[in-house]
């Protein structure tokens, strides 16, 4: 009878109605062997911390490369100046007013930087809320790093191609251009042509 009583008090046999007793046994085991628990706790956290560091470094590098690679500019002046000093408009007609010139400058978009930041925060949030074990946490962090790189590279490619295809030579002094928003930001500057 004594053996049956001891057998029923083992942690594997504790009923679910007694969580406090189970918690006390766990806490007591932590107090008895704190060094072993700390050593065991370091091992699973190391890969996760390493991947978090890699995610942050990848995000910083992607933001830097995006900012450097997503810069371009082009300009166009319809009309011009004849050899006798008179000015002509886009159609080649003489005019007294200096024709206007347009300059477009491609710059990085703040929305892409916000997107990179949101991906990093989202990956870290998924790790804390949904990751049940170390491999799941590593998957979320790896996917976050991949998403950051894909966003930065795709934004540079899309905005550079789109900016290159803007028909600036069709500009006649008015109208608008279709910009590569949100992948890049374009500044438009219209100035009178400099005459000699």
């Amino acid at each position: 009878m004594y053996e049956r009583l001891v057998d029923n008090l083992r942690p594997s046999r504790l009923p679910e109605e007694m969580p406090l007793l189970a918690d006390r046994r766990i806490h007591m085991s932590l107090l008895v062997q704190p060094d072993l628990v700390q050593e065991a706790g370091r091992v699973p956290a190391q890969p996760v911390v390493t991947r978090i560091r890699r995610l942050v470094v990848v995000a910083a590098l992607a933001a830097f490369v995006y900012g450097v690679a997503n810069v371009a500019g082009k300009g166009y002046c319809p009309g011009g100046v004849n050899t006798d000093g008179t000015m002509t408009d886009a159609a080649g007609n003489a005019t007294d007013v200096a024709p206007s010139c347009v300059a477009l400058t491609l710059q990085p978009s703040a929305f892409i930087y916000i997107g990179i930041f949101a991906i990093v925060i989202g990956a870290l949030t998924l790790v804390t809320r949904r990751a049940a074990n170390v491999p799941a946490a590593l998957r979320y962090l790896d996917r976050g790093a991949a998403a950051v790189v894909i966003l930065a590279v795709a934004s540079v490619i899309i905005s550079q191609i789109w900016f290159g295809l803007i028909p600036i030579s069709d500009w006649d002094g008015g109208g608008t251009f279709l910009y590569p928003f949100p992948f890049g930001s374009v500044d438009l500057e219209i100035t009178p042509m400099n005459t000699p």
Side-chain angles (χ1 to χ4, degrees):
M1 177 154 177
Y2 177 73
E3 291 175 359
R4 184 182 297 164
L5 182 64
V6 171
D7 194 36
N8 286 336
L9 290 177
R10 287 189 181 151
S12 61
R13 299 277 181 108
L14 285 175
E16 292 181 0
E17 296 83 31
M18 299 178 63
L20 292 177
L21 183 58
D23 286 344
R24 283 188 186 145
R25 287 179 186 222
I26 292 171
H27 292 304
M28 287 182 68
S29 68
L30 293 175
L31 291 174
V32 173
Q33 300 173 339
D35 296 336
L36 294 176
V37 172
Q38 288 176 359
E39 289 298 323
R42 277 189 213 154
V43 176
Q46 184 178 3
V48 175
V49 172
T50 302
R51 293 292 172 90
I52 290 172
R53 183 178 58 208
R54 187 178 81 172
L55 173 64
V56 171
V57 169
V58 165
L61 288 175
F64 176 75
V65 169
Y66 169 74
V68 170
N70 205 36
V71 176
K74 59 182 176 178
Y76 177 68
C77 294
V81 180
N82 291 329
T83 55
D84 60 356
T86 60
M87 291 175 264
T88 59
D89 59 9
N93 301 323
T95 180
D96 295 334
V97 180
S100 296
C101 296
V102 62
L104 299 177
T105 307
L106 176 65
Q107 298 174 348
S109 172
F111 289 102
I112 301 303
Y113 293 118
I114 293 170
I116 290 171
F117 180 75
I119 290 171
V120 171
I121 296 300
L124 294 175
T125 302
L126 288 173
V127 167
T128 58
R129 290 188 182 174
R130 294 190 181 174
N133 51 30
V134 173
L138 297 180
R139 274 195 305 275
Y140 286 125
L141 294 170
D142 289 343
R143 289 175 186 164
V148 164
V149 170
I150 290 169
L151 176 65
V153 170
S155 297
V156 169
I157 292 171
I158 291 170
S159 61
Q160 288 289 349
I161 291 174
W162 195 329
F163 185 75
L165 294 175
I166 292 177
I168 196 168
S169 59
D170 295 343
W171 186 71
D172 58 358
T176 59
F177 297 109
L178 187 60
Y179 299 132
F181 178 81
F183 304 106
S185 174
V186 178
D187 288 335
L188 170 70
E189 185 178 0
I190 300 174
T191 57
M193 177 186 285
N194 292 331
T195 55

